[in-house]
Amino acid sequence: MLGGTERLLWLLLLSLLLLLPPPSAWGHGGQARPREGTEEAGSAGAWLAFKGLRERLRAAGALSRRYWALFSCRVWPEGCGKDEEASARPPGWSFALLGQQYLDILSTWSCSFWDCCDRGDCRIINNFTGLEADLRVRLHGQHLARELVLTAVRGYLEMPRPDKALALSFHGWSGTGKNFVARMLAENLYQDGLRSDCVKVFISTLHFPHPKNVDLYEEELTDKIRKTQEHCRQTLFILDEAEKLHPGLLEALRPHLERQAPSNRRAESKRTIFLFLSNLGGNIINEVVLNLLKAGQSREEVRMEHLESRLQAEIVASTDSGFGHSRLVKENLIDLFIPFLPLEFRHVRLCARDAFLSQDLLYTEEALDEIARMMVYVPKEEQLFSSQGCKSISQRISYVLPEG
């Protein structure tokens, strides 16, 4: 573990390396140069080079002090006063996007070694490479969700100054991967995953079980969102069983999803992602996929244009849920409705294989087949889709393990 002084010097050196201009920028400012080969050219050239270097070192030093003040305020906020932070940004001065990215990278890197702040910001990792790999390798049979989630989340978090929260709504039968993808996002955006202080999970039937207490729930929900956003510059809220949320709770969420007025350019941009997980629309998704398969198309040829309009129509028309009738849907505050397709026998086998590997257990192809055959498949005639997706696969492993 480095001491305080050593840590300071090391980080300052790294920040200076990031901030120095490239060698190509060390020219002579466009001034005319004397002819080469003359004494005048030699002395004038040396003077201009020295003058240029001195000016650039002075500018780099001033810029480095500003970066360092902002960096130290972000990483060690307890030692930073408002006056000190303000002095780091003189009137009219602001970061270029590249400079802001350097600051974000340096803060995240440094906090991976030291517990350097109490806001949770240093635990944000935004590992898009890991997210892409997880979605490709661990999520089975969901090519649409894989593409849409990765593109939407990466695009949103890389925006310089988003003016609204990103709201994604996951739809499909139970066991198709909605919670699994939500967990992947938490694990790849935050070092502490679902345990992060910047991630909050709400389950309708668990956290908001009694309709008569909806006023209390509204207050608790909005207070939790507000405090988490104050604590973290990037937050993730997961609302499971969204179709069972009381209309009052849905209405309470609306201000947090609306587009915000442009803020002061010097204010730090907040980023918030809302995930709504729901079984709503699962039947229409399965119907569309089944019809496409019967028409001779492969599963991988299923595209959003086949599903988008029918899925949204099904959500809006639902009489069993207030979600489709909420202002979140009617005012287009949900950015994407993402379908999770029904899983087939081959996908269940892959889930079984992953379950064995996660428990460090050996498996055989026969064991995978046996577990997959334990599931119930629908429709009754075609027997194509697992009625529970990959749910309860891990619990079924014990049935095929050798005794003793």
Side-chain angles (χ1 to χ4, degrees):
M1 180 69 70
L2 294 177
T5 303
E6 292 171 312
R7 175 173 68 179
L8 183 70
L9 291 173
W10 173 249
L11 291 175
L12 182 57
L13 176 61
L14 182 58
S15 64
L16 283 170
L17 289 174
L18 288 172
L19 295 171
L20 283 175
S24 59
W26 296 2
H28 299 295
Q31 299 184 34
R33 292 179 295 175
R35 288 179 299 171
E36 296 180 4
T38 66
E39 183 177 350
E40 178 189 0
S43 58
W47 166 248
L48 287 173
F50 172 75
K51 183 179 179 181
L53 180 60
R54 183 179 63 182
E55 290 174 352
R56 283 170 175 78
L57 288 174
R58 184 182 299 162
L63 184 59
S64 298
R65 285 192 296 275
R66 295 173 186 171
Y67 270 87
W68 176 253
L70 287 167
F71 170 77
S72 60
C73 284
R74 172 176 291 188
V75 176
W76 302 293
E78 68 280 357
C80 171
K82 291 185 178 179
D83 293 340
E84 181 181 354
E85 185 171 4
S87 67
R89 294 189 182 209
W93 185 85
S94 62
F95 275 144
L97 177 58
L98 183 60
Q100 183 65 51
Q101 290 173 341
Y102 280 154
L103 184 64
D104 289 342
I105 292 170
L106 185 59
S107 301
T108 302
W109 177 85
S110 65
C111 292
S112 67
F113 293 95
W114 306 292
D115 186 15
C116 53
C117 73
D118 60 357
R119 301 177 315 192
D121 282 358
C122 358
R123 312 295 285 183
I124 297 171
I125 55 176
N126 290 346
N127 181 8
F128 298 123
T129 301
L131 176 61
E132 183 177 9
D134 278 349
L135 290 169
R136 185 179 66 253
V137 175
R138 300 170 62 199
L139 180 66
H140 306 304
Q142 303 297 351
H143 63 284
L144 292 181
R146 180 175 66 241
E147 296 166 5
L148 292 169
V149 168
L150 181 63
T151 301
V153 171
R154 179 160 56 188
Y156 174 73
L157 293 179
E158 289 181 346
M159 289 176 62
R161 297 188 182 278
D163 59 359
K164 77 177 291 292
L166 175 66
L168 304 179
S169 194
F170 296 174
H171 295 269
W173 270 8
S174 178
T176 52
K178 302 184 297 296
N179 276 283
F180 193 34
V181 171
R183 186 164 72 247
M184 284 184 189
L185 281 170
E187 290 171 351
N188 286 285
L189 299 184
Y190 301 91
Q191 189 164 321
D192 301 315
L194 290 173
R195 299 185 306 276
S196 170
D197 291 336
C198 302
V199 179
K200 302 300 176 188
V201 179
F202 302 97
I203 303 173
S204 295
T205 53
L206 178 63
H207 294 95
F208 319 115
H210 305 297
K212 64 180 181 180
N213 295 333
V214 67
D215 291 340
L216 176 62
Y217 296 153
E218 287 178 25
E219 184 178 345
E220 290 176 348
L221 178 61
T222 54
D223 186 58
K224 180 73 74 174
I225 292 173
R226 178 183 57 80
K227 287 182 176 178
T228 306
Q229 290 176 327
E230 289 175 355
H231 183 70
C232 304
R233 61 185 167 87
Q234 178 182 304
T235 50
L236 174 63
F237 299 103
I238 302 170
L239 295 107
D240 198 4
E241 300 179 348
E243 74 277 7
K244 299 176 183 177
L245 282 171
H246 189 280
L249 291 172
L250 292 168
E251 180 63 23
L253 289 171
R254 186 171 63 88
H256 300 284
L257 272 68
E258 290 180 322
R259 200 169 299 278
Q260 305 296 318
S263 58
N264 188 310
R265 285 180 57 84
R266 288 177 289 175
E268 189 176 27
S269 179
K270 299 282 187 178
R271 289 169 171 80
T272 300
I273 298 175
F274 283 92
L275 300 182
F276 297 89
L277 316 184
S278 173
N279 294 342
L280 197 63
N283 289 337
I284 198 66
I285 294 171
N286 294 3
E287 179 184 323
V288 170
V289 174
L290 179 61
N291 290 336
L292 290 171
L293 294 178
K294 286 183 176 180
Q297 290 187 282
S298 70
R299 183 190 181 88
E300 288 66 31
E301 291 178 297
V302 178
R303 308 309 304 168
M304 270 302 287
E305 50 264 31
H306 297 132
L307 286 161
E308 188 170 17
S309 60
R310 295 195 62 181
L311 174 58
Q312 291 191 37
E314 177 75 8
I315 293 170
V316 171
S318 173
T319 58
D320 299 329
S321 168
F323 184 75
H325 303 284
S326 69
R327 294 170 71 177
L328 303 186
V329 174
K330 291 183 177 180
E331 296 180 6
N332 299 315
L333 299 180
I334 306 293
D335 296 287
L336 277 175
F337 296 91
I338 300 180
F340 281 69
L341 310 185
L343 299 183
E344 301 171 13
F345 185 90
R346 57 190 170 120
H347 304 123
V348 176
R349 287 184 85 260
L350 291 172
C351 291
R353 181 204 64 188
D354 292 350
F356 274 101
L357 294 174
S358 68
Q359 299 180 42
D360 294 324
L361 295 173
L362 296 176
Y363 66 87
T364 64
E365 297 299 318
E366 291 76 13
L368 301 185
D369 287 337
E370 186 175 349
I371 290 176
R373 282 195 294 267
M374 292 179 186
M375 308 300 286
V376 176
Y377 293 86
V378 294
K380 188 174 181 180
E381 295 179 1
E382 290 85 358
Q383 299 277 297
L384 280 177
F385 307 137
S386 169
S387 62
Q388 289 186 288
C390 282
K391 207 165 190 177
S392 76
I393 286 292
S394 295
Q395 292 86 339
R396 296 172 189 264
I397 289 179
S398 59
Y399 294 111
V400 300
L401 292 176
E403 295 183 2

